[in-house]
Amino acid sequence: MIKLFKKKNQTEKLICDQRLQHIAFIMDGNGRWAKKRGMPREYGHTQGAKTFKLITDYCGEIGINTVTVYAFSTENWKRPAAEVNALMDLFMDYIYEALEVMMKKDVCIRFIGDKTPLSDNMKKLMADVEEGSKNNTRHLNIAINYGGQDEIVNAVNLALKQGKTEISAQDIESNLYTNHVAMPDLIFRTAGEQRLSNFLLWQSAYSEFYFTDVLWPDLKPEDIDKAVADFYSRQRRYGGL
Ligand code: IPE
Ligand code: IPE
Ligand code: MG
């Protein structure tokens, strides 16, 4: 039996073991959170960015080695330009902060997705963050202009460029944006929707799923504790017995 809780400073503290190395979050519900308050959707995204920092820090504290977050999908360009621009501005703010603060936290940051349509300035800063943090031991993958279908098509095309004439599962896996980390053990979606919305389609083959009605900006460390406890109550069989 693996010990999940240990005493530290007289409070129960959750520590995860190797069974739960990687959590992937679908950060959903920012717009509804703002609407409930009579505020523009952009306000929800600003609050959501704060929650992102709180939750990723907390995952580090409880021993999660890899966190992947869905920040912007290949389909999110369909939204009004003002909202897309506000999101891009938030990403830029975060990348500047990553350059100054995050890289010092022993976190290797990767931006996963198709960077082609992003601004040159954003691409340059992303490359600086990725290069500067590449030797760190924990992982944070931020999915921007990410689509699972796009990722698989891209992986196949890369394999073809590598000279493959027949594509194996291994060829695809080694060319995914996430080829540097383990598959997600747990996929966690906020705000009530129970779908993947094109997130980690290949990688989620044997992931566990956790859904909560809590809107992303309201998410608290206690909600992570609940999901972790739920995860540890499950038996993963991978098709075996
Ligand atoms: C998630 O919140 C953030 C992004 C998809 C960029 P939403 O903006 O989807 O919020 P809801 O789902 O409309 O409430
Ligand atoms: C998924 O949320 C994308 C992100 C969280 C970035 P959406 O709000 O775009 O998904 P749908 O439209 O409800 O499926
Ligand atoms: Mg949504």
Side-chain angles (χ1 to χ4, degrees), residues 27-33 41 45 71-72 76 79 83 87 191 193:
M27 309 187 287
D28 197 20
N30 294 350
R32 278 164 279 175
W33 184 90
R41 295 177 56 84
H45 296 313
F72 194 90
N76 286 146
R79 297 186 180 199
E83 181 172 346
L87 282 163
E193 253 63 70

Side-chain angles (χ1 to χ4, degrees), residues 162-189:
Q162 290 153 6
K164 300 280 157 61
T165 47
E166 204 175 296
I167 309 289
S168 68
Q170 184 48 41
D171 293 327
I172 294 181
E173 282 194 14
S174 64
N175 283 299
L176 294 175
Y177 295 125
T178 57
N179 60 7
H180 61 306
V181 293
M183 298 291 162
D185 299 299
L186 181 64
I187 295 186
F188 185 125
R189 183 167 188 153

Side-chain angles (χ1 to χ4, degrees), residues 141-161:
N141 305 311
I142 304 176
I144 295 179
N145 193 31
Y146 173 90
Q149 293 175 340
D150 175 72
E151 180 183 37
I152 294 167
V153 170
N154 182 58
V156 170
N157 283 322
L158 287 173
L160 292 174
K161 272 190 205 138

Side-chain angles (χ1 to χ4, degrees), residues 55-84:
I55 295 299
T56 49
D57 281 353
Y58 184 68
C59 287
E61 277 173 37
I62 62 171
I64 306 295
N65 173 268
T66 304
V67 174
T68 300
V69 295
Y70 204 6
F72 194 90
S73 74
T74 46
E75 289 73 49
N76 286 146
W77 299 104
K78 293 177 191 163
R79 297 186 180 199
E83 181 172 346
V84 170

Side-chain angles (χ1 to χ4, degrees), residues 114-211:
D114 176 10
K115 297 187 179 93
T116 320
L118 305 178
S119 73
D120 288 344
N121 195 15
M122 193 185 285
K123 280 187 270 205
K124 163 83 175 65
L125 289 169
M126 284 173 159
D128 289 347
V129 170
E130 289 178 342
E131 176 62 25
S133 67
K134 70 178 183 196
N135 295 321
N136 293 341
T137 51
R138 290 174 39 224
H139 296 279
L140 174 60
N141 305 311
I142 304 176
I144 295 179
N145 193 31
Y146 173 90
Q149 293 175 340
D150 175 72
E151 180 183 37
I152 294 167
V153 170
N154 182 58
V156 170
N157 283 322
L158 287 173
L160 292 174
K161 272 190 205 138
Q162 290 153 6
K164 300 280 157 61
T165 47
E166 204 175 296
I167 309 289
S168 68
Q170 184 48 41
D171 293 327
I172 294 181
E173 282 194 14
S174 64
N175 283 299
L176 294 175
Y177 295 125
T178 57
N179 60 7
H180 61 306
V181 293
M183 298 291 162
D185 299 299
L186 181 64
I187 295 186
F188 185 125
R189 183 167 188 153
T190 54
E193 253 63 70
Q194 302 194 355
R195 53 177 172 256
L196 276 175
S197 301
N198 204 8
F199 190 43
L200 302 180
L201 297 185
W202 181 281
Q203 298 88 331
S204 61
Y206 274 99
S207 300
E208 297 295 324
F209 290 82
Y210 185 87
F211 300 103

